[in-house]
Amino acid sequence: MKLIVTGGAGFIGSNFIRLLLEKPDDHLKLLNLDKLTYAGNLDNLTDVSEDSRYTFVKGDIADILEMRKIFEQFEPDALINFAAESHVDRSIEDAAPFIRANIQGTQVLLDCAMAFGTKRFLQISTDEVYGSLSESDPAFTEKNPVVPNSPYAASKASADHLVLAYHHTYDMDVVVTRCSNNYGPYQFPEKLIPLMIHNALTDKPLPVYGDGRNIRDWIYVKDHCTALHEVLVRGEAGRVYNIGGDQEFRNIEVVKAILSIVGKPESLIKFVKDRPGHDFRYAMDNSRITGELGWEPSVTFEEGLEQTISWYLSKKDWVKKVISGEYREYFDRMYGDRLSAN
Ligand code: NAD
Ligand code: TDX
């Protein structure tokens, strides 16, 4: 199979590529297509870069001319679209890059897939398209309405609608997955878990938004990747599959668990100004993927968090490299006032 993986230099995409290349499949040809934004990092894939089944091409999924050339040359059988602007806080600062990458980029890929006869299109989406739950609401099923709240979530929801519309209108073989919060190796330290690990290890304040009672459903990235492989190979065309870890925790519980594992005091926790429009709770009902494809999450939050912290401890150079330059400016913009105002 010839497979294009867009956004393969990011957190989940690089974990997915590693999972595929670990399988002894001589028929696989994998093209990693990534723009290498601040979140894309080829160091995430140094261990597989010499694999003869793997190629990397730098490109912007929203650039139709570039994309047409790549499709023409590679002639993919399938495409899995991870490429996106993925951080909610950045979308609140400036929505424009999210509209371009997440919506326009998806439209360009769909048009190329249609024009060049790509047989399967897997769109990686998120639980955030369903909006927010209260404490007592049942978890999201695929039948929940799509009511996104942040510019990021709205851009992902738009892309989902486009992908499903191409199935309805042109009978394209598409599948959409919506996953809960991922954590694990190679996650950029702007998201909650890697940021808190990094700050705890370097004795910096841990900025918890609002009162820290917001709830997320955490999934270890490798479990997400095994689910994606099942959906890619066996998912039904035109269908949406929810993927979750069945591990709901309040942010403050997550932060305290990290401090306890690394042996740092809770006095490092700093409650800061809340995220505007902050969704209270996400939770995923996995019954469809479990019932139809037999997939289940296998890593508990305790195991996954221990493994993730060990990984960050063993990859201090990786962290050092990714938090230089643009990251520092972002951190000052995002947290400078918040941390000094409290
Ligand atoms: P990430 O930010 O780590 O990686 C995104 C990758 O996309 C980067 O390598 C970046 O360079 C690339 N990219 C961005 N714009 C591009 C463009 N225009 N053209 C080509 N490449 C581009 O994100 P992630 O956390 O790995 O998320 C991957 C996907 O999974 C995203 O679509 C995200 O919405 C979705 N998702 C993420 C989570 C999560 O918890 N991280 C949960 C559910 C769904
Ligand atoms: O410094 C912080 N302090 C804090 O309290 C950060 C970065 C986050 N938080 C809170 C906000 C959220 O309630 O932690 C929770 C998790 O925040 P993020 O890691 O930014 O994730 P979230 O906004 O939940 O979105 C994530 O899950 C769905 C991913 O970033 C998305 O790409 C994915 O689609």
Side-chain angles (χ1 to χ4, degrees):
M1 171 158 78
K2 288 200 270 181
L3 175 67
I4 292 185
V5 177
T6 70
F11 163 49
I12 307 172
S14 61
N15 276 284
F16 182 75
I17 288 177
R18 184 168 294 100
L19 177 92
L20 279 198
L21 293 176
E22 272 165 14
K23 295 178 194 292
D25 176 358
D26 290 340
H27 300 292
L28 177 69
K29 278 206 174 311
L30 193 157
L31 182 82
N32 175 11
L33 165 55
D34 197 297
K35 188 179 173 184
L36 299 182
T37 68
Y38 77 92
N41 181 359
L42 287 178
D43 287 348
N44 298 357
L45 287 163
T46 37
D47 52 332
V48 300
S49 60
E50 298 299 314
D51 192 310
S52 58
R53 298 167 296 168
Y54 169 83
T55 321
F56 170 74
V57 173
K58 186 168 190 270
D60 177 354
I61 60 165
D63 184 328
I64 181 80
L65 296 178
E66 250 182 277
M67 289 308 108
R68 285 187 69 87
K69 263 193 223 148
I70 290 169
F71 274 75
E72 200 168 19
Q73 280 166 11
F74 190 69
E75 299 179 318
D77 301 306
L79 180 142
I80 171 159
N81 184 24
F82 290 97
E85 289 292 336
S86 71
H87 190 34
V88 174
D89 290 327
R90 287 184 189 252
S91 81
I92 295 169
E93 271 196 307
D94 181 10
F98 290 71
I99 307 307
R100 181 177 156 80
N102 301 3
I103 307 178
Q104 200 183 325
T106 303
Q107 170 253 315
V108 164
L109 292 176
L110 284 164
D111 283 342
C112 287
M114 192 157 62
F116 292 94
T118 307
K119 291 185 204 75
R120 168 140 283 205
F121 190 106
L122 171 51
Q123 174 71 5
I124 308 306
S125 185
T126 169
D127 55 3
E128 303 202 13
V129 301
Y130 296 122
S132 179
L133 295 169
S134 72
E135 193 114 33
S136 57
D137 282 334
F140 297 125
T141 73
E142 293 82 354
K143 297 206 167 75
N144 271 71
V146 169
V147 281
N149 289 322
S150 70
Y152 161 71
S155 70
K156 293 297 289 185
S158 307
D160 287 13
H161 286 316
L162 268 177
V163 171
L164 294 169
Y166 273 57
H167 173 71
H168 187 83
T169 309
Y170 308 113
D171 204 24
M172 265 182 75
D173 180 340
V174 307
V175 210
V176 174
T177 56
R178 295 182 177 144
C179 190
S180 63
N181 285 60
N182 285 229
Y183 68 101
Y186 299 103
Q187 188 168 30
F188 192 78
E190 64 183 354
K191 307 278 168 73
L192 181 75
I193 289 185
L195 177 71
M196 297 298 162
I197 295 174
H198 173 66
N199 285 15
L201 292 175
T202 51
D203 297 304
K204 294 203 180 83
L206 274 58
V208 174
Y209 296 163
D211 59 10
R213 290 175 56 78
N214 302 62
I215 298 169
R216 296 292 183 265
D217 170 6
W218 293 98
I219 184 168
Y220 193 56
V221 64
K222 287 182 189 162
D223 273 338
H224 184 192
C225 292
T226 58
L228 293 177
H229 188 250
E230 287 301 320
V231 174
L232 179 68
V233 176
R234 299 198 293 125
E236 187 183 318
R239 209 143 171 77
V240 174
Y241 293 90
N242 283 355
I243 303 169
D246 279 338
Q247 304 278 297
E248 285 186 59
F249 293 98
R250 294 188 193 283
N251 294 338
I252 191 66
E253 295 173 311
V254 172
V255 171
K256 285 184 177 172
I258 292 169
L259 286 168
S260 155
I261 296 172
V262 303
K264 293 291 171 86
E266 290 186 6
S267 55
L268 282 175
I269 295 173
K270 184 117 185 175
F271 290 96
V272 301
K273 193 164 151 267
D274 209 352
R275 171 185 282 173
H278 194 174
D279 283 341
F280 177 66
R281 172 176 167 239
Y282 308 135
M284 283 308 222
D285 181 327
N286 282 333
S287 357
R288 176 175 288 176
I289 188 167
T290 304
E292 294 180 12
L293 304 181
W295 172 89
E296 276 180 12
S298 68
V299 180
T300 65
F301 188 63
E302 289 73 17
E303 289 162 356
L305 195 59
E306 293 266 4
Q307 287 176 30
T308 304
I309 291 173
S310 303
W311 186 87
Y312 279 90
L313 278 167
S314 70
K315 292 280 182 181
K316 290 201 175 119
D317 286 351
W318 181 90
V319 176
K320 214 168 165 184
K321 216 163 155 189
V322 300
I323 64 168
S324 57
E326 198 269 355
Y327 177 81
R328 284 185 202 288
E329 287 160 33
Y330 166 78
F331 195 86
D332 288 346
R333 259 194 344 265
M334 191 57 60
Y335 294 100
D337 289 347
R338 276 177 160 148
L339 284 169
S340 55
N342 279 267

